Structures are given as structure tokens and as C-alpha cells.
Amino acid sequence: MSDMLLSTDGVARLRDALAAAGFTSAGIAERLGPVATAAVARNDFRAALRVTEDRDPLATLIRVFVCAQTEPVEAVAAALAPLDFADAFDAGLVEAAPGGGVRQGVDLEPYGDSWWVLSDVPSSARPGQPLRPDHVLGIGGASSTLVGAAVRRPVGTALDLGTGCGVQALHLATHAGSVTATDLSERALRFAATTAALSGQQWEMLRGDLVAPVRGRRFDLVVSNPPFVIGPGTTTHTYRDSGRAGDAVCAELAAAAAELLNEGGVMQFLANWEHVAGEDWGDRVAGWFDGTGLDAWVIQREVADPMTYVGLWLADANEDGDPARAAAWLDWFDANDVAAIGFGLVTLRRGGNDDPVVRVEDLRQQTQQPLGDQIAAWFDRQDFVRDADLLAARYRTAPGLQLQQEATLGDDGWAVDRQVLVMPSGLRWSEEVDPLVLALVSGADGQVPLRDQIALLAVAHEVAEEDLADAAGPIVAHLVERGIVEPVA
Ligand SMILES: C[S@@+](CC[C@H](N)C(=O)[O-])C[C@H]1O[C@@H](n2cnc3c(N)ncnc32)[C@H](O)[C@@H]1O
């Protein structure tokens, strides 16, 4: 285990203090009530401060670590007991506040039923104060996206590459026999080791650049929320800058995946990619997997223009008051013809196929969370499409599948202009279909093999059965891939 912020005994004492006070997700929610809890989520602490005026241990911990308040030393010392206040102070858990009293020195966040995550105090709690270069990021939107997207099937070995506060590793430990967590940052590893111990988990922890610390080893599942931010390749903050120019860090992870994965293993990472003027962004990203032999599914969830992107990331590190920095960053985008930046998720599988599937697509619609089960099912369906006799199989439509129609009223009544199949749950794909495909989908009741369905349709529409079967193959493969129709076992 890496060094921690506290000694092993200190961590045990801190855990005792937090548990005894009820400083858990459920305990805080109960103490604050729904109104104050909702307000806290909007960084409005007024209601939370009103219900914690007693300054009992739970109230004090909420005031310090949730509401970012300065509190009297005696109250904080009592809330952290049996951890010695001097030990907490030396470890940097709390620090002297300007003007007296103490305030949080780190972010200490109860997470799940029995976990606590340590990270640096977020930029929002210290407005105007630039983050330290090795700032350890807490659980944010991107972390939660990856937590939800990870395939949670039982595995032997799992790796969290760029563990930071350790949030991904915590989840991996719930379904992996062993967890390895790496980071370039010594500070991040210290925080992650403390998160692990405080949460009653044990991980192997290794320091180094990207895959270097685990070179030559293979895993069943690899997850990474890497420092994917696109720019000139300079590093000001380890949590977001990889030191590689453009989107090279994500291309590097993609290239390393085949050597990192056991047969059947899965690697998932969040990524940013360039939309270069005159170039198809999908071709660019698909090029990352050339020659890897991996099945790949890349989903683009958001696209930002450079101005918005730079503004967002500078604000994230409280650097937004630096116009020269923004200008230099934007100049780099201009010089490299970067018109926009895509954000999404890459899932790779070492499937051992001669003809791996590589799909790069937009998936911008709201989806049903968590995505992990949907992603696992997508790869299962790829296996079916690759291996099965599609014409011999029977299919049924996705539960709740809807048909939306647009029609124009003319002299002969309504003329249907457009028919769209809509999945109301799951990935919520919508798919425009022609009448023949609609007839095929409508007849998919799980009773009849596709071949027989096609024979009936060929007669009804007066087309050659062979031709219809040839045309139907790729269409059904696509509908299965999207889960609009499902094969019946
Ligand atoms: C965006 S944070 C993700 C933290 C955490 N895994 C999560 O999901 O919230 C990226 C992490 O990658 C680490 N990192 C940065 N450059 C790295 C590199 N070259 N090799 C390994 N880790 C790196 C950072 O220190 C940071 O902890």
C-alpha cells in the first residue's frame, strides 16, 4: 500500500469518528432533510447551516466538509475524536483559516453506504484561488459518467489507470478479485490509498506514466478517466493535462489496450477528440484502433466549440481570469484547424476476432442510466450478429417499442411521410424506417424465424424472396445491434 495521509492507526481512528458521528451519505441526508440536501447540491448552504447550529459532531463535520465553513478548533477536535486533532492537522485534513478557527484542508466525501473519498478542496470552494499543479480531483461529473458506464460483471483482475481520489477503484473492488490503481501523481496515490483504507478496501497501488507501471501485465477490466483535455501538450495541472499534444493521450491508451487485456477483457476510458476541419471525426477516432484486433465502440456524448471548451477548463481550475492563457490555448486550436472537441466514452474488447467490429457514433440522446449494462449487452449482441445465422433466428421487438409517424392530410386522406421507431428506455435510439422494414419489425413476435417472415413479406410485396433476404441481413444486423429487435433464445 502506498503512503497515506495518516498512519494506519490514524485512518482507523478517523473511520471510527466518521462512523460514530453518522457522517455517511445516509446520515447526512437524514440530518439535513430533503430541502437542505437539494440546496447543498446547488452549493446553497443556508438551509444546511441552519439545521447544524448545534455543533454536535455530525453537525460540525457537515459544516466543515460539506458546507466549507470555518469552525472553532474545539468543535472540530471533538468531531474528529478519537483521531488526534494534531494528527488531522499535520495530515492536512484541516487547516488554519484566515482570521482564526479551522476549515477543511481536503475534501472528505461520504460515498455510497460505507465509503469515504478524499480529494483536494474543489475550486468552487476556494473561488479565485488557482489550484495547485498536482490538485487531486474529487468525484465529478466525468467520474460518475465512467462509474455508470463501467461493465460491472465479475472479473478476476481490474485496473484503474489514473486513479486520483480512487473513486473508480472503489467500484471495481465490488466485482473484481483484485484491484490495481495507478497514477503519475504521488499526491493522488496518497489520497487514493487513504480512500481505500478508510473505505475498508485494499488495492495494489503503482506510480508511473500511463501503462508504464503495469507494462507486461494483463487485466480482465481496465477503466480510466485520464487527463484527456486537449491542448498544446503543456502540463499545468496533472488531473487534466497529459503532457501530450491534442488527443494523443487517448490514441496512446487505445494503442496500448490490446497488450493490457486478457482474452475477453474490456477496457473503458473517457476521451476527448479533435474535430479537425475537413476531416471526419469518426474516421480520426476509428483510426486509433487500426491493427489492434480489438472490438471497439465509441460513443460521442457531447461536442464543444474551442471557445466554450477553453473557458470551461480554465474556470475548472480557477484560471479564468487569465486572458493571455485563454488566447494562447485558442491560438493552438486555430493553428491545428481544430473546429470542435468531442467528448465521449471508448469501450474496447479483446474478443479474439479476425474481423473486429469498430463502431464510432454519436449517442447524444438522454439514455437510461447506468450505461454499463447496455454496453455489455451491445457487445453480446455483436457476438450474436457475428456468429449466428441471422435468417434462421427468431426475433422480438424491444419492450415498449414505439412507432411515431408524420403524415400530411391530402385529398385522399393522410399520407404518411415518415415513420420512426423509438425505444422509450435503454439507449433510447430512434430509427427512421421504410414500410417494408416496419412490416418486418412489426412481425417480430418471437414465433417465426426471420426466413419465414421474409417469405411472407416477399409474397405480400411482390418482391423476390432472395433479394429481400439479401437486403434484410444488414438491416436486421443493425436493428439487433441497436437493440430494437432482440434474438429469442
Ligand atoms: C481526471 S483525473 C481522474 C481521477 C479519477 N480516476 C476519477 O475518475 O475521478 C485523471 C487522473 O490521472 C492522473 N494522471 C495524469 N497524468 C497521468 C499519466 N501520465 N499517467 C497516469 N496517470 C496520470 C492524474 O493525476 C489524475 O489523478
Side-chain angles (χ1 to χ4, degrees):
M1 190 59 87
S2 285
D3 282 352
M4 298 188 289
L5 295 173
L6 290 161
S7 66
T8 307
D9 178 57
V11 169
R13 286 168 181 268
L14 176 58
R15 190 183 161 90
D16 287 348
L18 300 175
F23 190 66
T24 59
S25 307
I28 296 171
E30 192 184 334
R31 178 64 182 261
L32 295 184
V35 173
T37 300
V40 162
R42 301 189 301 271
N43 277 344
D44 174 0
F45 302 124
R46 290 169 302 157
L49 293 176
R50 276 196 296 275
V51 297
T52 53
E53 276 170 0
D54 292 355
R55 301 227 173 33
D56 56 84
L58 176 57
T60 300
L61 291 170
I62 291 174
R63 293 175 79 90
V64 172
F65 291 109
V66 178
C67 304
Q69 298 299 298
T70 296
E71 294 293 311
V73 173
E74 304 71 36
V76 177
L80 290 173
L83 177 65
D84 199 79
F85 179 78
D87 290 344
F89 194 85
D90 290 348
L93 299 188
V94 290
E95 63 186 25
V102 287
R103 63 181 187 180
Q104 65 179 152
V106 298
D107 197 33
L108 172 55
E109 184 176 349
Y111 184 60
D113 291 338
S114 56
W115 298 335
W116 289 274
V117 173
L118 278 155
S119 60
D120 272 314
V121 177
S123 52
S124 57
R126 302 277 157 89
Q129 188 177 312
L131 301 182
R132 49 185 297 153
D134 56 357
H135 176 84
V136 179
L137 198 65
I139 303 167
S143 329
S144 301
T145 298
L146 184 59
V147 164
V151 173
R152 301 279 172 214
R153 290 180 174 170
V155 290
T157 51
L159 168 67
D160 174 16
L161 202 152
T163 192
C165 63
V167 53
Q168 307 298 334
L170 282 174
H171 286 275
L172 290 177
T174 63
H175 61 111
S178 67
V179 173
T180 301
T182 70
D183 209 290
L184 183 65
S185 153
E186 189 64 54
R187 183 173 175 83
L189 285 174
R190 245 191 347 267
F191 276 68
T194 315
T195 292
L198 206 48
S199 304
Q201 295 192 2
Q202 280 206 314
W203 318 326
E204 178 190 28
M205 309 209 65
L206 302 170
R207 182 174 181 216
D209 180 32
L210 292 188
V211 298
V214 288
R215 201 174 297 287
R217 292 174 57 183
R218 293 184 185 274
F219 299 86
D220 299 322
L221 178 63
V222 179
V223 298
S224 184
N225 173 9
F228 50 64
V229 174
I230 293 181
T234 44
T235 299
T236 60
H237 292 91
T238 337
Y239 77 86
R240 65 158 198 223
D241 305 318
S242 67
R244 280 87 169 159
D247 48 19
V249 68
C250 293
E252 196 173 324
L253 284 175
E259 294 292 311
L260 264 186
L261 292 175
N262 284 320
E263 194 68 36
V266 169
M267 175 161 173
Q268 300 184 276
F269 60 96
L270 298 179
N272 275 188
W273 40 79
E274 298 171 23
H275 285 221
V276 177
E279 185 184 289
D280 184 311
W281 72 269
D283 290 346
R284 175 187 187 82
V285 175
W288 294 350
F289 317 110
D290 282 349
T292 63
L294 299 172
D295 294 317
W297 188 26
V298 180
I299 49 180
Q300 177 167 267
R301 300 290 284 153
E302 289 168 31
V303 178
D305 63 85
M307 183 69 102
T308 309
Y309 186 82
V310 166
L312 186 142
W313 283 109
L314 289 178
D316 192 63
N318 279 346
E319 292 178 306
D320 37 347
D322 186 352
R325 181 138 163 63
W329 200 341
L330 287 167
D331 283 348
W332 183 88
F333 280 127
D334 287 347
N336 288 276
D337 289 331
V338 178
I341 302 94
F343 167 82
L345 174 78
V346 175
T347 303
L348 304 172
R349 184 183 63 166
R350 188 162 164 228
N353 301 302
D354 296 337
D355 185 19
V357 57
V358 175
R359 190 80 67 239
V360 179
E361 60 192 343
D362 256 312
L363 197 161
R364 307 258 206 117
Q365 65 269 26
Q366 285 283 335
T367 57
Q368 196 176 357
Q369 299 297 327
L371 267 184
D373 289 347
Q374 325 266 1
I375 290 171
W378 188 92
F379 282 88
D380 291 345
R381 294 197 298 268
Q382 290 297 344
D383 290 341
F384 170 82
V385 168
R386 180 185 288 120
D387 301 335
D389 177 350
L390 294 185
L391 291 174
R394 291 173 292 129
Y395 301 87
R396 67 167 163 248
T397 52
L401 186 67
Q402 296 170 348
L403 174 67
Q404 293 177 356
Q405 301 197 116
E406 288 173 18
T408 309
L409 187 57
D411 293 341
D412 301 327
W414 289 105
V416 175
D417 303 318
R418 210 168 159 255
Q419 294 179 306
V420 181
L421 291 170
V422 178
M423 296 174 69
S425 57
L427 295 179
R428 301 206 171 103
W429 289 113
S430 53
E431 193 81 33
E432 186 168 353
V433 287
D434 64 25
L436 208 56
V437 175
L438 183 61
L440 205 65
V441 171
S442 310
D445 59 2
Q447 303 297 319
V448 184
L450 178 63
R451 186 176 285 114
D452 295 357
Q453 263 193 281
I454 286 175
L456 289 171
L457 278 176
V459 174
H461 289 79
E462 297 178 356
V463 289
E465 191 177 326
E466 289 281 283
D467 294 347
L468 197 53
D470 284 349
I475 293 170
V476 170
H478 176 72
L479 294 174
V480 170
E481 175 176 313
R482 295 217 152 167
I484 291 175
V485 297
E486 301 166 348
V488 176

